[in-house]
């Protein structure tokens, strides 16, 4: 597999085991799962980034859509200005939930300079602000309930460290390559299994930039099997994208949204798990149908064949080196990688609420999970043969690459603090309550999904979208008589659905550039699937709301 962008971290290569350098070089610049450039489900590094796989060709226009940081900064200022127009008011609360019918106007005790200070301190308050128990105002030095996103911030950095260290061992790349080689004589099974693998990555940890390293493996493989480049691109992109759409415990979507909604990450996991199984099967069936059509009649391909395709078909479709069996270290790394996510699921799921009394409910939250991924990152690095220096470099580089996502969460939480300090959050909630009052639970579930679609386009950062929208949308579930977990599921479904095609995503545009598939052709290919996913997700949400 050839490298496509990210340069090795200085000083780290000496500690990499055999094969790990190639795995590292295949990764595109991430700058952060952070969404700093507004790409995809919470990611960064837009398609025009110098040196990246999505680099614009000479004369080609680059995307001018602002980054998630710019969008959220503009939202922060706009919301602050609107707090001078929107009348302040509050609900009475019971167990942290607003009580219907108790909304009443209030008078603010803060002046203009206090409000200006709130704007200035918004990102700081979003990270570690504390809400005073008496005044209800949030500030960095107050005494009361913690309102910042510091726990989420550290958790995101820990996940970044864990994923980066795992990728540097080369185990993930080697594992997928090995799987592809084993199934190369069973074409249909190969497509389904690989899509399930990428979808599993999407639903558990929001796999996105990590996929860019697999195009060098997948494109030659599918061409050798008689398919076209669209099949290779869609196995990776649609597979991981659908998994993210139906996230079960994805920390950048489900985790951040659940925290902002005031519920546990495991709440609503049964519905999300069912969605993941069904949507992954639908996506795999859709891609497989196209692949069979192309195999039977190459003229029906949406991607024109090139001379390079013939050369790739003649070469080893799996890249040669992956014919070697997985090493013991790589097997151990994959085992630890899988076990970490499985234990995370076990630790966050409220088993007692599901009526499963035999399984203990740990009730872990972001503090414990951050520690889990930090320890796991160290274990993976040492087991994978990176050594002390390589492991430390991987951890610090991974945390640095994901810091954009963490900062986005803090910035978005700062918007919430501005609204709460100005007492306009409940006013907005009361107006939205009037809009959805009288609708059935099923209609409510679908409406929340549809409302989040334009939000997902304008705030393409999944974590930023979650931290921004959930404090407003989640309490609506209390008025509609449904669980807040349904609102989380509706939000992440909308975010994942939009980010399957958003042109500002490095994951989409960079992946298509690597696969050499035109964006308009990809849109033509994926449009019917997008329609099916829209209907099926809406149906799931309607049923989930009706029975919640």
């Amino acid at each position: 597999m050839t490298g496509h962008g990210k340069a090795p971290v200085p000083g780290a290569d000496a500690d990499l085991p055999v094969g790990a350098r190639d795995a590292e070089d295949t990764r595109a610049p991430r700058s952060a799962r952070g969404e700093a450039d507004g790409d995809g489900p919470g990611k960064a590094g837009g398609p025009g980034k110098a040196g990246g796989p999505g680099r614009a060709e000479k004369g080609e226009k680059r995307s001018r859509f602002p980054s998630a940081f710019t969008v959220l900064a503009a939202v922060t200022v706009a919301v602050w200005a609107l707090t001078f127009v929107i009348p302040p008011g509050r609900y009475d609360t019971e167990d942290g939930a607003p009580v219907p019918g108790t909304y009443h106007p209030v008078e603010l005790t803060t002046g203009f300079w206090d409000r200006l200070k709130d704007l200035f301190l918004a990102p700081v308050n979003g990270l570690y602000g504390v809400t005073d128990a008496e005044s209800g105002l949030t500030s960095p030095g107050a005494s009361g309930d913690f309102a910042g996103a510091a726990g989420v911030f550290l958790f995101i950095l820990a996940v970044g460290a864990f994923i980066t260290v795992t990728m540097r061992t080369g185990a993930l790349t080697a594992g997928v390559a090995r799987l592809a080689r084993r199934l190369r004589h069973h074409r249909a099974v190969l497509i389904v299994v690989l899509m399930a693998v990428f979808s599993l990555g999407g639903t558990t940890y929001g796999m996105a930039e990590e996929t860019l390293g697999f195009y060098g493996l997948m494109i030659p493989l599918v061409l050798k099997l008689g398919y076209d480049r669209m099949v290779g691109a869609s196995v990776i992109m649609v597979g991981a994208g659908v998994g993210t759409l139906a996230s079960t415990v994805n920390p950048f979507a489900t985790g951040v949204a659940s925290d902002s909604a005031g519920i546990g990450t495991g709440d609503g996991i049964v519905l999300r798990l069912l969605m993941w199984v069904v949507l992954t099967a639908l996506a795999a069936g859709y891609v497989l149908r196209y692949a069979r059509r192309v195999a039977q009649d190459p003229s029906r391909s949406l991607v024109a064949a090139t001379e390079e395709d013939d050369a790739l078909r003649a070469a080893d479709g799996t890249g040669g080196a992956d014919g070697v069996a997985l090493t013991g270290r790589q097997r151990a790394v994959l085992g630890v990688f899988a076990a970490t996510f499985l234990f995370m699921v076990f630790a966050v799921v409220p088993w007692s609420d599901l009526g499963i009394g035999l399984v203990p409910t740990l009730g872990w939250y972001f503090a414990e999970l951050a520690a889990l991924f930090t320890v796991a990152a160290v274990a993976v690095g040492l087991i994978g043969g990176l050594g002390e220096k390589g492991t430390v470099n991987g951890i610090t580089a991974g945390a640095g690459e994901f810091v954009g996502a963490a900062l986005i969460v803090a910035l978005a939480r700062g918007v919430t603090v501005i609204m709460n300090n100005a007492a306009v959050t409940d006013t907005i909630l009361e107006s939205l309550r009037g809009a959805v009052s009288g609708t059935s639970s099923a209609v409510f579930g679908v409406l929340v999904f549809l409302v989040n679609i334009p939000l997902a386009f304008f705030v393409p950062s999944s974590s930023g979208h979650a931290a921004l929208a959930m404090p407003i949308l989640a309490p609506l579930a209390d008025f509609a008589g449904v669980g807040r977990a349904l609102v989380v599921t509706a939000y992440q479904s909308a975010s994942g659905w939009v980010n399957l095609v958003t042109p500002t995503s490095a994951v989409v545009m960079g992946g298509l550039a690597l696969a050499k598939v035109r964006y308009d052709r990809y849109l033509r290919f994926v449009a019917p699937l997008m329609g099916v996913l829209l209907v099926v997700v809406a149906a799931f949400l309607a049923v989930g709301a009706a029975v919640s």
Side-chain angles (χ1 to χ4, degrees), residues 267 346-364:
D267 292 341
F346 167 75
V348 302
V349 171
W351 300 103
S352 57
D353 293 348
L354 299 177
I356 306 175
L358 296 177
V359 181
T361 298
L362 297 184
W364 278 23

Side-chain angles (χ1 to χ4, degrees), residues 30-47 63 65-72 209 404 408 456-462 498-499 502-509:
R30 178 198 303 264
S31 59
R33 180 161 307 248
E35 320 173 34
D37 292 325
D39 0 303
K43 317 297 196 274
S63 171
F65 195 85
S67 71
F69 279 115
T70 303
V71 171
L72 282 177
E209 277 96 345
I408 282 289
F457 180 80
F458 289 110
V459 188
S461 154
S462 61
V498 169
N499 282 303
T502 182
T504 59
S505 169
V507 177
V508 173
M509 303 306 288

Side-chain angles (χ1 to χ4, degrees), residues 51-319:
R55 183 175 55 197
E57 296 297 329
K58 215 171 190 178
E60 183 181 337
K61 289 185 179 179
R62 296 185 179 189
S63 171
R64 296 298 180 186
F65 195 85
S67 71
F69 279 115
T70 303
V71 171
L72 282 177
V75 169
T76 302
V77 175
V79 168
W80 179 79
L82 286 173
T83 61
F84 291 92
V85 178
I86 301 172
R90 295 196 188 277
Y91 284 104
D92 294 336
T93 60
E94 185 176 325
D95 297 327
V99 179
T102 62
Y103 174 81
H104 57 278
V106 297
E107 203 143 322
L108 290 181
T109 59
T110 53
F112 175 79
W113 293 111
D114 294 317
R115 307 271 289 272
L116 186 61
K117 185 178 180 180
D118 281 342
L119 175 64
F120 178 66
L121 290 176
V124 178
N125 277 325
L127 182 60
Y128 63 90
V130 177
T131 302
D132 184 82
E134 293 185 8
S135 67
L137 299 178
T138 300
S139 63
S143 299
D145 297 328
F146 189 75
V152 183
F153 187 94
L154 290 174
F155 173 60
I156 291 174
L157 299 188
V159 173
F162 175 68
I163 292 174
T164 299
V165 170
T166 304
M167 293 295 292
R168 288 194 173 191
T169 66
L172 279 179
T173 305
V176 172
R178 181 68 175 169
L179 180 64
R181 185 174 182 84
R182 282 178 175 270
L183 296 175
R184 67 189 184 281
H185 299 304
H186 305 279
R187 298 191 304 179
V189 175
L190 177 65
I191 288 177
V192 173
V193 171
L194 287 179
M195 287 197 70
V197 168
F198 286 114
S199 181
L200 185 63
T203 194
T204 53
Y205 70 93
M207 186 180 196
E209 277 96 345
E210 296 82 2
T211 62
L212 296 176
F214 291 99
Y215 284 90
L217 161 71
M218 195 60 57
I219 298 302
L221 176 62
V222 296
L223 290 174
K224 194 172 184 67
L225 294 177
Y227 302 132
D228 66 0
R229 290 175 176 270
M230 185 71 76
V231 173
S234 59
V235 165
I236 299 173
M237 194 177 303
V238 176
V242 167
T244 302
L245 187 158
S247 293
T248 49
V249 290
N250 173 6
F252 304 98
T254 312
V256 175
S258 297
D259 177 67
S260 299
I263 61 175
T265 303
D267 292 341
I269 195 171
V270 174
L271 175 63
R272 296 196 295 267
L273 187 59
L274 289 173
M275 287 179 61
W276 176 69
V277 172
V278 172
L279 296 181
T280 300
L282 280 173
Y286 181 84
V287 173
L288 187 59
R289 176 174 172 269
Y290 172 82
R292 284 175 171 165
R293 188 175 67 191
V294 169
Q296 292 170 359
D297 184 2
S299 66
R300 303 184 71 180
S301 170
L302 293 175
V303 184
T306 65
E307 292 182 3
E308 182 185 0
D309 292 354
D310 295 332
L312 289 173
R313 287 191 176 97
D316 180 2
T318 56

